[in-house]
Amino acid sequence: MKTLMAWMTTAATLNFAQPVTAGQNDPRLDTLFVALRAAASEREAAPIEARIWAIWTESGIDDIDRLMALGIAAMGIRDFRTAESVLTTIVEKAPDFAEGWNKRATLYYLMGQMEKSAADVAKTLSLEPRHFGALSGLGLIRLAEENEKAALEAFERGLAIHPNMAGATTYIRKLKLKLLGRSI
């Protein structure tokens, strides 16, 4: 009986008393980012990138994760009103969860609200400076604003983190040509 009580006491304190680590603070990300930088091609980088996105999207809080799935689904069917409500709830309830801010930045971009999108990208990057998706999004925002120099800087920052990021090299090449005064 004494052994059973000791085991129950130990079991009650394992993992349950510790917060679940997920999102941008997940320790698995460090190794994944090393592997992402070392990947020789876009094809080799793709599964690593997918794993990073999966970790970023998990807050470790069941209610927030359910809201995230709902917000992503609403964006997917272009129900922007619902998506905005849900994603705003996420950033209010979990303000230190970078992907909540990033998803809302994406939504604002899709809605054509570039200032709001850029503000949410800035918050995302303050929480997760390695967020290559947010940097790519920032590049797209700056392109929409016709600020080619800032777009180039954002894409280059993203490429420094994720050397095989789809599309970044093409944007960088085109922007450099344009900024040099050559036709694209």
Side-chain angles (χ1 to χ4, degrees):
M1 183 69 164
K2 196 173 188 180
T3 305
L4 178 61
M5 290 301 289
W7 177 86
M8 288 175 61
T9 303
T10 303
T13 60
L14 292 177
N15 292 330
F16 302 113
Q18 300 171 1
V20 176
T21 302
Q24 74 276 3
N25 299 317
D26 192 302
R28 297 172 292 176
L29 287 171
D30 293 335
T31 303
L32 288 168
F33 275 104
V34 169
L36 188 66
R37 278 189 287 286
S41 67
E42 207 173 297
R43 184 176 184 191
E44 189 178 312
I48 302 164
E49 178 183 334
R51 188 65 192 128
I52 290 169
W53 278 108
I55 291 169
W56 276 342
T57 306
E58 300 167 356
S59 71
I61 304 166
D62 289 342
D63 290 342
I64 297 298
D65 291 344
R66 279 191 288 278
L67 288 171
M68 179 63 80
L70 178 61
I72 291 169
M75 262 197 302
I77 61 170
R78 301 188 67 79
D79 180 357
F80 295 156
R81 176 185 275 173
T82 299
E84 183 177 20
S85 175
V86 169
L87 295 171
T88 297
T89 299
I90 291 172
V91 300
E92 288 171 350
K93 289 186 175 203
D96 293 331
F97 177 44
E99 195 56 26
W101 294 98
N102 185 59
K103 287 294 186 266
R104 195 172 74 168
T106 302
L107 172 67
Y108 285 144
Y109 175 82
L110 294 172
M111 295 170 69
Q113 297 181 17
M114 299 306 154
E115 286 184 33
K116 286 183 173 182
S117 183
D120 281 2
V121 165
K123 183 63 177 178
T124 301
L125 292 171
S126 74
L127 294 166
E128 173 53 284
R130 304 172 296 186
H131 204 301
F132 52 82
L135 288 165
S136 180
L138 183 59
L140 294 174
I141 292 165
R142 297 306 181 221
L143 280 176
E145 296 172 337
E146 298 181 5
N147 186 342
E148 289 89 3
K149 186 177 181 199
L152 176 61
E153 291 171 3
F155 286 123
E156 286 179 331
R157 285 176 57 201
L159 199 63
I161 296 164
H162 182 350
N164 294 293
M165 185 167 43
T169 304
T170 302
Y171 279 119
I172 289 168
R173 183 181 48 79
K174 288 181 178 181
L175 286 164
K176 282 183 176 180
L177 288 172
K178 188 170 185 177
L179 289 169
L180 290 171
R182 299 182 191 151
S183 64
I184 298 177

